[in-house]
């Protein structure tokens, strides 16, 4: 009872300051939503949901999972599933998991520039191993990760598409990697 009274007195002395009223410094941790803005122009780049470990490692050892929603989705749809799955299998503190909201109802090629800037910001802000960056997507997001992942192969260790539309892999992606050979499992 004395401890509870002490806590209440402390809260009263602070004026009932909530987390939303406090200045939170990056890197944020826990499960939160925010807007990423261009550091120079302050233009809105991406509304997102992110979960980052409470305790960050000293070295760049964290993985990054970037989730892409389906048509008419938002930053919560695939991201929430990814966060809950990572918690359930006890790997959540080994990853930063984030999902953004596309400019339109679904992902399109005009989202690429902002996605690249947002992913780069996450890699610079958190101790992320650049060899452990993965993208996942469902439906329209599945189409996006296949296309975006193909065009930016040097950035991603893994691409997971669930019910994503078809993508033509016949072109040469950025860099010198050739398309996969035709055959089983390509």
């Amino acid at each position: 009872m004395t401890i509870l009274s002490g806590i209440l007195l402390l809260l009263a002395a602070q004026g009932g300051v909530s987390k939303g009223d406090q200045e939170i410094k990056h890197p944020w941790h826990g499960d939160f939503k925010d807007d990423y803005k261009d550091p120079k122009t302050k233009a809105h780049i991406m509304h997102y949901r992110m979960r980052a470990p409470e305790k960050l490692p000293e070295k760049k050892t964290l993985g990054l999972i970037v989730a892409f929603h389906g048509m008419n989705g938002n930053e919560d749809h695939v991201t929430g599933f990814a966060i809950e799955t990572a918690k359930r299998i006890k790997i959540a503190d080994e990853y930063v998991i984030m999902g953004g909201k596309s400019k339109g109802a679904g992902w399109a090629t005009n989202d690429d520039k902002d996605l690249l800037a947002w992913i780069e910001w996450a890699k610079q802000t958190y101790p992320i191993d650049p060899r452990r960056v993965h993208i996942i997507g469902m439906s329209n997001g599945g189409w996006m990760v296949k296309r975006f992942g193909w065009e930016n192969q040097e950035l991603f260790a893994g691409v997971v598409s669930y019910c994503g539309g078809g993508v033509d892999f016949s072109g040469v992606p950025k860099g010198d990697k050739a398309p996969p050979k035709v055959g089983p499992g390509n």
Side-chain angles (χ1 to χ4, degrees), residues 99-120:
K101 170 62 182 104
S102 61
K103 285 183 177 75
W107 296 101
T109 56
N110 68 342
D111 289 304
D112 288 9
K113 181 181 172 192
D114 290 346
L115 281 166
L116 290 169
W118 178 54
I119 291 168
E120 186 58 32

Side-chain angles (χ1 to χ4, degrees), residues 12-39:
Q14 289 179 336
V17 176
S18 70
K19 185 175 180 180
D21 295 333
Q22 297 173 4
E23 180 180 326
I24 302 173
K25 296 179 182 168
H26 277 90
W28 290 8
H29 53 76
D31 189 343
F32 62 92
K33 291 184 183 183
D34 196 10
D35 291 309
Y36 172 64
K37 296 180 180 177
D38 183 289

Side-chain angles (χ1 to χ4, degrees), residues 10-72:
L10 182 60
L11 287 174
Q14 289 179 336
V17 176
S18 70
K19 185 175 180 180
D21 295 333
Q22 297 173 4
E23 180 180 326
I24 302 173
K25 296 179 182 168
H26 277 90
W28 290 8
H29 53 76
D31 189 343
F32 62 92
K33 291 184 183 183
D34 196 10
D35 291 309
Y36 172 64
K37 296 180 180 177
D38 183 289
K40 294 177 184 171
T41 67
K42 303 301 180 203
H44 181 267
I45 302 291
M46 182 80 57
H47 181 69
Y48 67 93
R49 177 180 179 187
M50 179 184 278
R51 191 229 178 248
E54 296 291 328
K55 185 177 183 207
L56 298 174
E58 295 290 322
K59 296 183 179 179
K60 291 185 173 233
T61 58
L62 292 177
L64 173 63
I65 299 172
V66 184
F68 291 73
H69 63 77
M71 187 63 75
N72 298 315

Side-chain angles (χ1 to χ4, degrees), residues 1 3 8 10-11 16 26 33 45 56 67 81 126 144 156:
M1 193 66 138
I3 294 173
L8 290 173
L10 182 60
L11 287 174
H26 277 90
K33 291 184 183 183
I45 302 291
L56 298 174
F81 171 76
Y126 293 89
M144 182 66 169
F156 305 113

Side-chain angles (χ1 to χ4, degrees), residues 50-53 55-57 59-67 82-83 86 91-99 119 122-136 155-158:
M50 179 184 278
R51 191 229 178 248
K55 185 177 183 207
L56 298 174
K59 296 183 179 179
K60 291 185 173 233
T61 58
L62 292 177
L64 173 63
I65 299 172
V66 184
I83 291 169
I91 63 167
D93 288 335
E94 297 173 31
Y95 290 88
V96 170
I97 302 170
M98 64 185 201
I119 291 168
K123 289 170 31 181
Q124 290 176 4
T125 304
Y126 293 89
I128 292 169
D129 180 344
R131 299 167 302 169
R132 296 185 66 209
V133 179
H134 308 273
I135 54 177
I136 62 173
L155 298 179
F156 305 113

